[in-house]
């Protein structure tokens, strides 16, 4: 009776539904592209704007430069991300094709290899052999892809998704400095852009850290440090090589 009560309690605690876990590793692909794009969009465009504003340029020239940087940066991010991730896809496909050939040419050897992997992970020889045989019957290539190559559907490279996410997030990140140009007085463009960009970077760092399960404080401080450094350097260059203020 006690065992039945425990079983019923466990069943009720799940509401009679199958338990489903959500892991942050499922966000790895798109999260990396989005964070990188938004971070780069805010830092790159804000730094450019601050540097040009520090040189004494007019608002129209600063705005045009910011918009041009947004378009160029978004396309650069998309192209770079696509090429990078597509190269990863090509490597994965080549490895899978090689594994497929080995399964056709030497199935016994591949079965022994899979058995040895499970044995090294702690299963006894008989159980390791049984697990390897069952997985081979179900999906031999999938089993070897996971265990030998570390490939899975969750972490599969997606170049189109990465490219679009990077381009879109770069454009979103650049909205902060572009808005600062439009709303601030001519002589206040540099401090307003710098302040708004740093606030946005801190928020972005905290959100990225929260999504990834890391420290919000550390995530925000990382963004603040690198963003502040980039804007300080470009402002220095603008003042050093810029025109005189009227």
């Amino acid at each position: 009776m006690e065992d039945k009560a425990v079983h019923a309690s466990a069943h009720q605690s799940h509401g009679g539904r199958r338990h489903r876990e959500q892991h942050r590793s499922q966000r790895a692909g798109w999260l990396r592209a989005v964070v990188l794009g938004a971070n780069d969009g805010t830092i790159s465009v804000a730094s450019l704007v601050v540097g040009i504003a520090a040189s004494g340029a007019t608002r129209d020239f600063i705005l045009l430069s910011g918009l041009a940087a947004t378009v160029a940066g978004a396309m650069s991010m998309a192209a770079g991300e696509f090429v990078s991730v597509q190269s990863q896809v090509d490597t994965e496909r080549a490895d899978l094709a090689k594994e497929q050939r080995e399964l056709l040419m030497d199935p016994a050897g591949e079965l022994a290899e899979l058995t040895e992997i499970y044995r090294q992970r702690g299963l006894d020889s008989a159980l390791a052999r049984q697990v390897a045989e069952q997985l081979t019957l179900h999906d031999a290539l999938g089993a070897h892809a996971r265990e030998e190559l570390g490939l899975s559907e969750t972490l599969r490279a997606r170049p189109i998704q990465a490219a679009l996410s990077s381009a879109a997030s770069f454009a979103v990140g650049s909205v902060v400095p572009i808005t600062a140009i439009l709303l601030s007085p001519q002589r206040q463009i540099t401090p307003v852009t710098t302040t708004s960009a740093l606030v946005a970077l801190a928020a972005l760092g905290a959100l990225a850290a929260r999504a990834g399960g890391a420290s919000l404080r550390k995530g925000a401080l990382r963004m603040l440090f690198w963003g502040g450094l980039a804007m300080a350097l470009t402002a220095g260059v603008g003042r050093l090589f810029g025109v005189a203020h009227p």
Side-chain angles (χ1 to χ4, degrees), residues 89-135:
V89 171
D90 294 339
T91 301
E92 291 177 358
R93 287 175 178 171
D95 286 341
L96 288 173
K98 181 176 181 292
E99 199 64 39
Q100 182 69 69
R101 289 194 300 271
E102 292 175 350
L103 285 168
L104 293 174
M105 296 174 61
D106 186 17
E110 290 298 299
L111 179 60
E113 187 177 28
L114 194 60
T115 300
E116 180 62 18
I117 290 174
Y118 291 123
R119 193 189 67 77
Q120 291 181 359
R121 291 186 178 180
L123 300 181
D124 62 59
S125 299
L127 182 57
R129 177 77 177 190
Q130 182 180 1
V131 171
E133 289 176 345
Q134 289 294 318
L135 290 176

Side-chain angles (χ1 to χ4, degrees), residues 23-107:
H23 296 284
R24 291 185 172 91
S25 61
Q26 296 173 349
R27 307 170 181 171
W30 65 263
L31 180 60
R32 171 184 170 274
V34 167
V35 171
L36 179 62
N39 176 54
D40 199 21
T42 302
I43 292 179
S44 298
V45 178
S47 298
L48 178 68
V49 165
V50 167
I52 294 177
S55 73
T58 64
R59 180 197 300 274
D60 290 342
F61 186 79
I62 296 171
L63 179 59
L64 178 60
S65 299
L67 293 174
T70 298
V71 175
M75 293 307 300
S76 177
M77 287 290 293
E81 196 71 20
F82 180 85
V83 171
S84 174
V85 179
Q86 185 60 52
S87 297
Q88 181 183 342
V89 171
D90 294 339
T91 301
E92 291 177 358
R93 287 175 178 171
D95 286 341
L96 288 173
K98 181 176 181 292
E99 199 64 39
Q100 182 69 69
R101 289 194 300 271
E102 292 175 350
L103 285 168
L104 293 174
M105 296 174 61
D106 186 17

